[in-house]
């Protein structure tokens, strides 16, 4: 039976083009979405942009444009980058979409009706970079540690407040009852200590005089919804909240993927908002780390960043996806350098899986003309079974890098066995013909299984690999049918592949 799987990313501020850090998150969520499709689920993958608030308002003004005109002009930069990187979302939501305004207002009204809004005066700091309220304790030398180039501003406004403080116990009880609610565990522990430290009510409206660019609150003139409060609601909008209750009941709750800098909003405020509105909490929240450059967060505000679109055009989507998913451990921070990227390409892709494919298929064609007959080599079969179990478990726990590493054990072992067993020498000895057939079958079948496990990370190249192995049918297969040893048909035609990952000097000369 297929089941619904709803996955979301954080939605990016539209104050510049996306960089590799934003791409990292979208790719990670895409990998999980693709894995769930491989397992036969009915997936809905939501990503998009966060377009309101003072950060976007100010950037648009600096560009001499109206905010909507400005964000409209930047949307292609996001969509083109995600298309070039093969990020296969089902909806690209913009918080300026009309159904989102309706959902945001509906949720706010529901929370008000439940008695969780009150009017209070806010006096304190605000960081435009985070679009967040800050206490003196949050600032270091008077600046937000995540946006050192920005001066926080002092706000004094009478606003609507959400009674976040009323939810400490319910939040803690939920965390207790659902130990995997937030992953990785060390992030969950940070969130738990934040909740245990006590929660303060949060301002959820802004006066139109200070921020005009937002969703108006019908029951409070001259106010817009505070951008974070509003943006989080996109996850409900994407599932049909307030518009299509049947779809909403089918899709909700979601798995949320987001960065470690926004856990406070997603793991504390958001579940409390849902509790207040009587809506089930998200299934799971995964907080990934940052893509770093020279030890610092890659960031639009501080002007660092690698353009994912240009990179995908130069190297292809899959090498970028592979680098990010294997070298920037999913859940931790990781450095990006061009040297490391190119070294990874050469070692893992060109010399690793690319070379394995070209050697195995060429030898099978040369010695047998097609997929040779088993019985397959028992040691590789046993390793395959182990790796499938390990990678499946890792993907199911959203541990993408672990899943890639397990699949890689198989690729590495196959290459090592070729070096040790030297099939070209076996081919010279007629008495070894059966052993050679078994060995080559095992290599090809191991490749088929590795490509099924790696297809969420490298969809384009793994499809090419399936073509070379003559098992295009794998694209329609799911779950155990795909991942069980023996899927390759003896006698099936093989196609001599173009180099799957050409050497960099060749690739870049094209
Ligand atoms: N608009 C808010 C999110 C609202 S979600 C309801 C926001 N936008 S952002 O553009 O600043 O960041 C969007 C996502 O990209 C966040 O999850 C953030 O952690 C992630 N990243 C931004 N820079 C990053 C890196 N250098 N590395 C990895 N991810 C980072 O926050």
């Amino acid at each position: 039976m297929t089941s619904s799987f709803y996955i979301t990313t954080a939605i990016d501020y539209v104050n510049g083009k996306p960089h590799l850090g934003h791409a990292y998150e979208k790719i990670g969520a895409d990998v999980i979405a693709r894995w769930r499709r491989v397992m036969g689920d009915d997936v809905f993958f939501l990503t998009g942009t966060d377009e309101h608030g003072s950060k976007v308002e100010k950037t648009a003004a600096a560009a001499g444009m109206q905010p909507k005109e400005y964000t409209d002009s930047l949307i292609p930069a996001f969509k083109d980058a995600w298309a070039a990187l093969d990020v296969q979302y089902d909806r690209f939501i913009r918080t300026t979409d009309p159904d989102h305004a309706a959902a945001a207002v509906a949720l706010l009204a529901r929370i008000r009706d439940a008695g969780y809004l009150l009017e209070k005066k806010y006096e304190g700091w605000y960081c435009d970079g985070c679009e967040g309220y800050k206490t003196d304790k949050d600032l270091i030398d008077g600046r937000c540690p995540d946006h050192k180039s920005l001066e926080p501003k002092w706000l004094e406004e009478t606003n609507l407040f959400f009674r976040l403080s009323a939810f400490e116990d319910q939040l803690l009880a939920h965390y207790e009852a659902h130990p995997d609610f937030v992953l990785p565990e060390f992030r969950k522990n940070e969130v738990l200590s934040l909740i245990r430290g006590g929660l303060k009510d949060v301002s959820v409206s802004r006066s139109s005089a200070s921020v005009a660019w937002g969703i108006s609150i019908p029951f409070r003139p001259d106010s817009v919804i505070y951008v974070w409060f509003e943006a989080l609601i996109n996850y409900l909008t994407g599932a049909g909240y307030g518009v299509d209750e049947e779809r909403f009941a089918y899709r909700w709750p979601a798995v949320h993927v987001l960065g470690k800098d926004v856990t406070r909003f997603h793991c504390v405020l958001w579940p409390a908002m849902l509790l207040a509105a009587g809506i089930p909490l998200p299934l799971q929240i995964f907080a990934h780390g940052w893509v770093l450059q020279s030890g610092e967060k890659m960031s639009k505000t501080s002007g660092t960043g690698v353009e994912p679109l240009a990179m995908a055009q130069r190297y292809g989507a899959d090498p970028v996806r592979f680098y990010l998913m294997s070298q920037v451990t999913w859940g931790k921070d990781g450095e990006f350098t061009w040297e490391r990227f190119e070294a990874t390409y050469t070692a893992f892709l060109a010399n690793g899986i690319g070379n394995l494919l070209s050697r195995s298929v060429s030898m099978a064609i040369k010695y047998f003309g097609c997929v040779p007959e088993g019985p397959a080599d028992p040691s590789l079969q046993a390793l395959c079974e182990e790796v499938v179990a390990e990678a499946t478990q890792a993907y199911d726990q959203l541990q993408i890098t672990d899943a890639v590493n397990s699949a890689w054990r198989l690729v590495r072992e196959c290459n090592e066995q070729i070096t040790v067993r030297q099939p070209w020498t076996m081919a010279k000895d007629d008495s070894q013909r059966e052993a050679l057939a078994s060995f080559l079958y095992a290599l090809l079948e191991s490749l088929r299984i590795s490509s099924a496990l790696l297809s969420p990370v490298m969809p384009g190249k793994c499809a090419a690999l399936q073509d070379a192995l003559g098992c295009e049918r794998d694209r329609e297969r799911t779950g155990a049918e795909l991942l069980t040893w023996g899927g390759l048909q003896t006698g099936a035609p093989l196609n001599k592949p173009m180099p799957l990952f050409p050497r960099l000097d060749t690739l870049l000369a094209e």
Side-chain angles (χ1 to χ4, degrees):
M1 203 187 80
T2 54
S3 45
S4 161
F5 183 78
Y6 178 36
I7 183 163
T8 70
T9 68
I11 47 174
D12 301 327
Y13 289 125
V14 189
N15 62 327
K17 289 183 181 173
H19 57 62
L20 209 56
H22 302 109
Y24 177 62
E25 173 175 286
K26 308 318 176 252
I27 292 168
D30 185 55
V31 169
I32 297 164
R34 284 175 184 272
W35 170 253
R36 300 301 334 177
R37 288 192 202 105
V38 165
M39 295 316 278
D41 284 352
D42 173 18
V43 173
F44 191 80
F45 172 21
L46 181 77
T47 191
T49 43
D50 186 354
E51 305 195 11
H52 292 122
S54 48
K55 179 161 165 150
V56 173
E57 191 174 43
K58 267 182 19 189
T59 324
M65 291 162 101
Q66 290 302 314
K68 181 65 168 42
E69 182 194 4
Y70 174 75
T71 58
D72 283 350
S73 75
L74 269 174
I75 294 305
F78 287 85
K79 290 190 171 170
D80 291 351
W82 304 159
L85 285 165
D86 263 345
V87 173
Q88 200 180 39
Y89 52 78
D90 295 290
R91 175 170 174 187
F92 188 96
I93 192 168
R94 300 179 57 182
T95 52
T96 47
D97 289 342
D99 61 340
H100 175 65
V105 168
L107 192 84
L108 187 67
R110 190 153 159 182
I111 292 176
R112 177 201 55 180
D113 294 346
Y116 290 109
L117 293 187
L118 53 92
E119 191 152 315
K120 274 207 279 200
K121 182 158 184 203
Y122 178 77
E123 255 185 358
W125 297 108
Y126 191 84
C127 169
D128 273 342
C130 303
E131 291 281 16
Y133 299 92
K134 301 277 157 178
T135 61
D136 283 332
K137 232 174 44 203
D138 295 328
L139 305 178
I140 297 175
D141 295 331
R143 301 249 165 163
C144 163
D146 287 346
H147 298 96
K148 294 183 191 125
S149 62
L150 299 178
E151 184 104 34
K153 60 190 181 203
W154 182 256
L155 286 187
E156 290 184 19
E157 281 184 0
T158 299
N159 287 333
L160 279 181
F161 275 69
F162 169 57
R163 287 176 49 210
L164 180 61
S165 58
F167 291 96
E168 281 172 25
D169 291 345
Q170 284 184 66
L171 285 173
L172 290 173
H174 186 83
Y175 273 85
E176 173 112 18
H178 302 86
D180 290 338
F181 182 49
V182 170
L183 294 175
E185 194 168 358
F186 70 98
R187 293 275 167 234
K188 178 183 81 175
N189 293 336
E190 287 171 7
V191 173
L192 280 175
S193 58
L194 206 92
I195 302 172
R196 290 194 188 112
L199 299 176
K200 289 209 175 71
D201 295 344
V202 268
S203 169
V204 296
S205 70
R206 297 294 310 273
S207 81
S208 307
S210 62
V211 192
W213 179 229
I215 294 178
S216 302
I217 305 178
F219 52 88
R220 187 182 170 86
D222 301 324
S223 290
V224 296
I225 311 180
Y226 164 49
V227 63
W228 259 106
F229 195 86
E230 176 241 291
L232 288 162
I233 300 169
N234 91 88
Y235 303 133
L236 295 181
T237 315
Y241 180 74
V243 178
D244 183 344
E245 290 310 318
E246 204 176 314
R247 191 163 81 84
F248 183 68
Y250 175 64
R251 281 297 173 200
W252 189 258
V255 169
H256 298 310
V257 171
L258 42 107
K260 65 175 188 180
D261 48 327
V262 293
T263 51
R264 194 192 282 226
F265 297 105
H266 283 87
C267 308
V268 182
L269 176 61
W270 178 229
M273 287 164 64
L274 293 167
L275 285 170
I279 296 173
L281 299 200
L283 211 55
Q284 211 161 34
I285 300 176
F286 191 95
H288 60 76
W290 285 342
V291 179
L292 306 174
Q293 243 185 345
S294 314
E296 295 282 325
K297 179 190 182 199
M298 197 179 270
S299 123
K300 282 187 293 220
T301 313
S302 60
T304 55
V306 170
E307 261 193 50
L309 176 61
M311 196 173 168
Q313 284 166 342
R314 193 168 153 88
Y315 294 94
D318 288 351
V320 182
R321 294 171 64 104
F322 181 78
Y323 178 85
L324 291 173
M325 294 299 108
S326 66
Q327 304 301 304
V328 184
T329 302
W330 188 241
K332 303 208 176 119
D333 293 348
E335 191 68 33
F336 174 82
T337 67
W338 288 104
E339 293 70 32
R340 235 181 111 187
F341 171 71
E342 295 205 336
T344 301
Y345 180 97
T346 299
F348 286 81
L349 302 181
N351 296 346
I353 195 165
N355 196 24
L356 175 61
L357 175 72
S358 105
R359 293 200 289 177
S360 310
V361 171
S362 302
M363 286 189 286
I365 291 177
K366 183 166 169 199
Y367 303 134
F368 298 93
C370 59
V371 174
E373 192 161 358
D377 195 280
S379 79
L380 278 177
Q381 177 171 352
L383 180 63
C384 264
E385 282 160 4
E386 195 181 310
V387 159
V388 166
E390 210 177 75
T392 301
Q393 193 188 28
Y395 273 131
D396 288 348
Q397 294 171 350
L398 313 183
Q399 301 293 352
I400 301 173
T401 308
D402 289 348
V404 174
N405 288 342
S406 332
W408 223 264
R409 278 176 60 202
L410 196 53
V411 173
R412 204 175 308 114
E413 178 63 21
C414 287
N415 268 332
E416 271 166 23
Q417 287 212 15
I418 293 179
T419 310
V420 172
R421 296 180 65 179
Q422 303 195 334
W424 49 90
T425 312
M426 292 166 86
K428 290 184 190 140
D429 178 353
D430 268 354
S431 70
Q432 296 235 44
R433 188 137 177 96
E434 210 171 286
L436 176 66
S438 282
F439 181 42
L440 288 177
Y441 182 90
L443 289 176
L444 296 171
E445 180 62 3
S446 300
L447 262 168
R448 186 189 72 80
I449 289 188
S450 326
S451 79
L453 292 174
L454 290 167
S455 64
V457 177
M458 297 194 284
K461 294 295 182 181
C462 289
L465 214 148
Q466 287 164 345
D467 290 345
L469 296 177
C471 58
E472 299 82 355
R473 278 196 322 152
D474 272 11
R475 282 184 224 158
E476 273 77 58
R477 288 175 166 164
T478 53
E481 198 197 358
L482 175 70
L483 296 169
T484 304
W485 180 269
L488 268 188
Q489 295 295 313
T490 294
L494 290 163
N495 306 305
K496 181 142 178 56
M498 301 281 287
L500 195 61
F501 294 100
R503 285 164 49 112
L504 275 176
D505 46 8
T506 318
L507 179 77
L508 298 178
E510 275 168 7

